[in-house]
Amino acid sequence: MAGEWKDVEISAKLVTNIDEVALRRSSAAVENAFMNEAGGHSRFPGLTQFVDLTGVAPTYLAEWNGDLMAVSNSRIYRVDKAGTAEDVTGVPLSGSSRPQFDKTPESLLMAAGGPILKFRGVTTELLAGAPESTHVGYIDGYVLAIEPYTGTFRFSELDDEEIWNDLDVFAANGKPDNLTGMLITPFREILMTGDDSVEQYQPLPSGANPFYRRYATGEGVPYPYTLLAEDQGVWAVNNRKELARMSGQSSRPASDDIGLTLEGVDDWTGAWTTSMSLMGQKFVLLQVPVATNPYGTKGLTFLYDYRQKKWYTLYGWSNGVPQRWPGWSYVNLWNRHFVGGNGKVLELVNTAHTNDGEIQRMLGRTAHIDAWGHVGVDNVRARVKRGTAAQGAAAPLFGLRCLKDNKRWTKWNWKSLGTSGDTQNIIEFGPIGDGYTFQFEWMITDNCPVELVRLQAQVSPAEA
């Protein structure tokens, strides 16, 4: 008698907040993939080279006047749609912090912990009179800059970004902590953050004081480059090591499912966030670039789908081991998706599934399924999109293995995803054996799109 086909749950959210051996219903790993609205797994786009700059330093991106602006190794480049880079460095951008950008009606401003620079279309210049700062912003005719390692921020003369009076200063003193960051939101809100507090200011239409403080909170932001305005709120990693969405004086953590992983981060240096809308999905990306990851290498990168409230992870690849996903920044421009790499501008491309020439491994792993009782698995089948190989290219492979009763992984069982034009969408892997719990893992390393629709196991009662 044929066994009963059981669905293997692949749409369950990723949870790293529980020891993996105790997971019964959640996903244990979703790497370089995301869960689509149909409950299947779609492969995340790969990275191709758009333009090669000088050196291998991290590259940070911004947009100005319809051009892509890139900062790498203190040099500033203007890049056009064709991928032609022009070095527009008059004054190099100095400082040890992550570059921050904002636009005035006449210029692009940038700060990285040293002198603030401006770019007005020819070459970069010093912003005369401005203090050295890690953060610069523009609102209602004023340029603002925090004074690092103090509790104050300064501002320029109204409608004149190069006049800075010594008395034009505000103290963010809701709590006695130094300012770590600043964010000007699309709703004309000025957020000043410290390790233990957040204060919101707004501009006044008239009067001697151009700004007033609306409120202060007791929730700090010690990782200032995780500040992000998205989804009609503000996101940041707070002083409890949670990615939280803040709206006014209220805050709601979004990272409970990966809380244990975030609590275990050994080095938060350079942590940053960005928002991405691509492939019909809306993500917040959080990267902690020098944190030790579960593979023992450096770099943790998370994707948070804030509509479905699900987390995923991104990894690069080098020397046969997962590494940091090779991005340092992101900009959406010309209806394309650009990522700052190491001395390069890269592009996220739906039809490419390598990361700048390196392997992009798509991997998924289930929880330990124990709802079937003591059974034998007579067969496993997957419904996938096949025939996606380039014309004339070899068929890519889909690998599956299983961990029974948490003892030892089976060998990888590799099946063809078909050559170009092969539309048969069911692949079968055969019997696995008997057990009380079953954990499945799948992997694809070939350069091809992947849509995993369904995974099923044919089970029958095990012999006594």
Side-chain angles (χ1 to χ4, degrees):
M1 180 177 177
E4 180 182 1
W5 284 101
K6 298 278 192 180
D7 280 320
V8 176
E9 180 60 72
I10 63 172
S11 63
K13 64 182 180 180
L14 173 68
V15 173
T16 68
N17 206 30
I18 300 171
D19 191 305
E20 187 170 317
V21 74
L23 279 181
R24 300 180 62 216
R25 296 180 181 87
S26 303
S27 292
V30 184
E31 296 180 6
N32 294 322
F34 59 88
M35 296 176 191
N36 53 48
E37 286 87 343
H41 287 221
S42 298
R43 197 170 192 176
F44 193 74
L47 291 165
T48 62
Q49 181 174 301
F50 180 60
V51 60
D52 193 6
L53 305 174
T54 301
V56 293
T59 301
Y60 304 96
L61 304 179
E63 180 275 333
W64 185 75
N65 276 9
D67 285 324
L68 183 66
M69 305 298 297
V71 175
S72 187
N73 198 28
S74 299
R75 310 294 296 181
I76 299 91
Y77 301 87
R78 176 167 52 190
V79 184
D80 64 17
K81 283 185 179 181
T84 302
E86 176 190 5
D87 191 332
V88 295
T89 309
V91 178
L93 183 64
S94 60
S96 59
S97 300
R98 180 183 177 87
Q100 300 293 286
F101 307 90
D102 206 353
K103 292 183 284 189
T104 76
E106 295 86 24
S107 59
L108 175 69
L109 304 177
M110 54 196 85
I116 299 173
L117 302 187
K118 65 179 180 179
F119 177 69
R120 293 186 290 184
V122 182
T123 59
T124 54
E125 314 166 56
L126 290 173
L127 182 61
E132 294 189 355
S133 185
T134 56
H135 290 73
V136 62
Y138 174 83
I139 185 170
D140 289 7
Y142 294 96
V143 176
L144 283 66
I146 69 171
E147 290 195 324
Y149 317 114
T150 74
T152 61
F153 68 91
R154 294 184 59 192
F155 56 93
S156 70
E157 189 79 21
L158 178 64
D159 294 326
D160 195 330
E161 61 190 35
E162 295 196 336
I163 297 179
W164 295 69
N165 298 312
D166 290 339
L167 297 180
D168 288 342
V169 60
F170 263 77
N173 55 9
K175 279 199 172 185
D177 56 345
N178 292 333
L179 289 175
T180 59
M182 175 181 69
L183 176 68
I184 298 177
T185 76
F187 302 102
R188 296 179 64 249
E189 303 164 330
I190 306 163
L191 294 184
M192 297 290 175
T193 66
D195 285 349
D196 300 311
S197 64
V198 176
E199 299 184 30
Q200 190 210 71
Y201 291 80
Q202 286 195 289
L204 286 167
S206 60
N209 294 322
F211 309 103
Y212 76 100
R213 187 176 68 189
R214 285 192 61 196
Y215 62 76
T217 73
E219 183 170 26
V221 180
Y223 316 109
Y225 304 109
T226 64
L227 276 169
L228 173 69
E230 179 64 20
D231 189 33
Q232 301 184 44
V234 173
W235 302 74
V237 175
N238 62 24
N239 48 3
R240 293 188 292 273
K241 296 184 179 180
E242 304 166 326
L243 181 69
R245 183 185 182 277
M246 296 175 281
S247 180
Q249 289 179 281
S250 64
S251 173
R252 184 179 71 248
S255 57
D256 288 346
D257 292 337
I258 60 166
L260 191 64
T261 301
L262 295 187
E263 288 175 12
V265 168
D266 56 352
D267 192 341
W268 282 92
T269 302
W272 60 282
T273 60
T274 189
S275 60
M276 288 181 171
S277 295
L278 72 165
M279 295 186 69
Q281 311 298 314
K282 294 183 177 181
F283 302 114
V284 169
L285 180 147
L286 166 64
Q287 185 181 86
V288 194
V290 296
T292 303
N293 60 46
Y295 297 101
T297 59
K298 295 297 182 182
L300 280 168
T301 307
F302 298 96
L303 277 179
Y304 179 58
D305 180 339
Y306 56 82
R307 293 187 302 173
Q308 298 191 74
K309 295 181 171 54
K310 290 181 177 180
W311 286 91
Y312 320 109
T313 56
L314 298 180
Y315 283 101
W317 190 268
S318 182
N319 298 319
V321 182
Q323 308 278 347
R324 183 188 64 85
W325 180 72
W328 295 100
S329 59
Y330 167 81
V331 161
N332 184 325
L333 181 63
W334 311 316
N335 200 30
R336 298 163 70 180
H337 305 276
F338 296 103
V339 171
N342 288 333
K344 298 179 180 180
V345 179
L346 307 172
E347 184 175 2
L348 281 167
V349 180
N350 293 353
T351 56
H353 296 285
T354 61
N355 286 328
D356 194 21
E358 296 283 355
I359 286 173
Q360 184 208 53
R361 184 182 72 165
M362 176 181 174
L363 181 137
R365 187 165 64 251
T366 69
H368 295 265
I369 301 166
D370 61 1
W372 301 337
H374 186 203
V375 299
V377 174
D378 305 320
N379 197 2
V380 178
R381 67 186 179 193
R383 179 182 165 196
V384 296
K385 183 177 180 179
R386 298 177 74 244
T388 60
Q391 189 72 34
L397 299 176
F398 183 108
L400 182 80
R401 64 177 183 170
C402 182
L403 181 67
K404 297 180 296 181
D405 296 334
N406 203 39
K407 292 178 181 178
R408 183 181 302 167
W409 286 101
T410 63
K411 293 182 179 179
W412 283 104
N413 190 350
W414 294 96
K415 296 295 182 179
S416 170
L417 286 176
T419 55
S420 177
D422 186 345
T423 59
Q424 165 65 33
N425 63 3
I426 300 294
I427 52 178
E428 297 191 357
F429 295 89
I432 288 178
D434 65 281
Y436 291 91
T437 69
F438 300 86
Q439 185 178 30
F440 296 94
E441 185 173 63
W442 57 91
M443 175 171 65
I444 306 94
T445 58
D446 290 311
N447 184 6
C448 67
V450 177
E451 297 288 342
L452 174 61
V453 180
R454 194 179 191 185
L455 189 65
Q456 292 181 297
Q458 188 180 37
V459 303
S460 57
E463 296 182 3

